[in-house]
Amino acid sequence: MSDEKLIRKTHNIIMENRKTLSVSGVTDVDNFDEKEILLYTQLGELTVTGKNLHVNSMSIETGEMTIEGDIWGLNYGDKDRKGPVSFLGKLFR
């Protein structure tokens, strides 16, 4: 496996004191507000829940994102879904 493919499949999460979350391998952000952030990673969808959530930084080039706020939960969804779903797909979730 080449180094390029290895890098693209890398997904890491570092949480500090449930206040700051650093995520790598982010491919897209579907929706976010102060209570929930739905994003897609190299390994599927990820929902971050909490209070006063704020996307502090995001780099499209590196796929890195930093989130701040009161982080209550991290929930992985469908591993095979790596990008946004159509409107009808969202209705039938």
Side-chain angles (χ1 to χ4, degrees):
M1 184 180 284
S2 73
D3 289 337
E4 183 179 322
K5 286 184 180 181
L6 206 77
I7 291 170
R8 275 195 251 145
K9 290 288 185 181
T10 301
H11 166 62
N12 294 302
I13 293 180
I14 299 171
M15 185 168 17
E16 299 176 26
N17 301 319
R18 292 182 66 175
K19 297 287 183 193
T20 305
L21 185 70
S22 299
V23 184
S24 67
V26 176
T27 58
D28 196 13
V29 178
D30 185 36
N31 190 19
F32 65 93
D33 59 33
E34 66 180 23
K35 295 180 181 179
E36 181 178 82
I37 300 172
L38 175 59
L39 54 100
Y40 296 92
T41 71
Q42 295 289 342
L43 299 177
E45 66 181 346
L46 173 65
T47 303
V48 180
T49 56
K51 182 178 174 186
N52 299 322
L53 297 177
H54 173 73
V55 176
N56 203 27
S57 66
M58 177 162 179
S59 171
I60 296 170
E61 291 83 29
T62 63
E64 295 179 6
M65 173 184 259
T66 304
I67 299 168
E68 292 182 347
D70 280 330
I71 300 166
W72 296 346
L74 303 172
N75 186 36
Y76 281 97
D78 191 351
K79 188 174 181 176
D80 295 330
R81 194 162 52 218
K82 298 198 168 83
V85 179
S86 69
F87 175 73
L88 288 176
K90 288 182 183 179
L91 284 176
F92 295 106
R93 242 193 223 176

